[in-house]
């Protein structure tokens, strides 16, 4: 499906839900679709738009992306480092979304297979629970040369009793800001 076809679909979906598909919303949706393969954040969409003659306020981009997620046109994905990414759902959307999220660079890769089909069948049989959607995110570190050994080792586990324990922090941040004990990965 072309970007033009997807834009028309987004416009129809918005109108069917009693929202206007304004020129600004169309520009924002186009920027999402042009970067779709990398699951852009609202900030990345904002910067992509502002490389063109169309200038749209940052707040407008963020509000539009939140609206598109709220009404089900895009999928909102929350990954490490406070980054929220967006993905166009489309008519052919199915719920199999599995991702690899790198703790060092924040790179996100989609796994194209649905590995939970058998789990869903079992849930339906044993618990009378019909799964309508799921999202599975594997968080880790690329091991195949994408990062140096020092980058991998620069992550440490915070073993203190902070409210955000069990998260990974850069060594320098922990030493300077947290002052907590650490154990190397």
């Amino acid at each position: 499906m072309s970007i033009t076809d997807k834009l028309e679909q987004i416009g129809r979906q918005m109108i069917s839900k009693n929202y206007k598909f304004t020129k600004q919303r169309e520009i924002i949706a186009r920027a999402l679709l042009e970067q779709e393969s990398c699951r852009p954040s609202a900030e990345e969409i904002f910067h992509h738009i502002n490389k063109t003659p169309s200038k749209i306020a940052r707040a407008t981009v963020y509000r539009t992306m939140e609206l598109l997620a709220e009404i089900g046109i895009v999928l909102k994905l929350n990954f490490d480092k406070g980054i929220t990414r967006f993905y166009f759902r489309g008519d052919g959307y199915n719920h199999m979304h599995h991702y690899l999220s790198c703790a060092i660079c924040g790179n996100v890769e989609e796994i194209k297979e649905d590995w939970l089909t058998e789990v869903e069948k079992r849930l339906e049989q044993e618990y009378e629970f019909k799964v309508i959607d799921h999202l599975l995110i594997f968080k880790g570190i690329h091991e195949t040369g994408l990062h140096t050994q020092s980058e991998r080792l620069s992550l440490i586990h915070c073993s203190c009793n902070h409210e955000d324990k069990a998260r990974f922090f850069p060594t320098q941040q922990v030493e300077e800001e947290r002052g907590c004990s650490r154990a190397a990965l």
Side-chain angles (χ1 to χ4, degrees):
M1 181 183 284
S2 72
I3 288 178
T4 302
D5 293 337
K6 290 177 182 179
L7 282 171
E8 288 174 6
Q9 182 182 343
I10 291 170
R12 285 190 307 272
Q13 288 177 302
M14 290 194 75
I15 291 166
S16 74
K17 296 177 187 215
N18 298 318
Y19 290 96
K20 293 179 182 176
F21 192 49
T22 64
K23 187 66 179 166
Q24 284 186 322
R25 287 177 176 167
E26 181 182 345
I27 291 167
I28 293 166
R30 178 178 295 281
L32 166 69
L33 296 171
E34 288 172 351
Q35 303 176 83
E36 188 175 20
S37 64
C38 68
R39 311 292 186 263
S41 67
E43 189 68 19
E44 290 166 338
I45 292 168
F46 169 74
H47 287 292
H48 183 79
I49 290 167
N50 284 296
K51 290 178 185 174
T52 69
S54 302
K55 301 294 181 210
I56 297 177
R58 179 178 275 118
T60 302
V61 172
Y62 277 79
R63 281 193 307 268
T64 299
M65 294 312 300
E66 287 297 324
L67 173 65
L68 293 174
E70 183 181 311
I71 61 179
I73 293 173
V74 300
L75 181 63
K76 183 177 173 180
L77 306 168
N78 295 305
F79 294 101
D80 278 347
K81 301 182 182 186
I83 298 172
T84 300
R85 298 192 174 277
F86 296 93
Y87 177 74
F88 173 63
R89 291 180 98 136
D91 281 338
Y93 170 80
N94 57 32
H95 68 270
M96 59 176 193
H97 285 276
H98 305 137
Y99 296 92
L100 306 175
S101 175
C102 182
I104 293 175
C105 66
N107 184 45
V108 176
E109 293 179 52
E110 183 175 5
I111 300 169
K112 300 287 184 184
E113 301 172 54
D114 187 351
W115 292 347
L116 298 179
T117 304
E118 292 303 315
V119 173
E120 289 178 14
K121 288 177 187 174
R122 190 170 170 193
L123 287 170
E124 190 167 355
Q125 291 169 355
E126 294 179 24
Y127 295 93
E128 297 179 358
F129 184 82
K130 177 70 175 159
V131 176
I132 57 171
D133 204 353
H134 71 259
L135 172 67
L136 180 61
I137 301 171
F138 294 96
K139 297 179 183 182
I141 302 168
H142 289 106
E143 292 291 332
T144 57
L146 296 177
H147 302 293
T148 65
Q149 182 68 14
S150 63
E151 284 177 318
R152 281 190 219 103
L153 293 176
S154 71
L155 293 180
I156 56 96
H157 186 270
C158 178
S159 59
C160 298
N161 195 16
H162 295 298
E163 68 280 354
D164 53 0
K165 69 181 180 178
R167 289 192 145 272
F168 291 94
F169 300 100
T171 304
Q172 185 176 1
Q173 178 183 352
V174 172
E175 290 174 348
E176 294 176 5
E177 297 176 13
R178 305 251 178 219
C180 43
S181 61
R182 59 187 192 274
L185 288 175

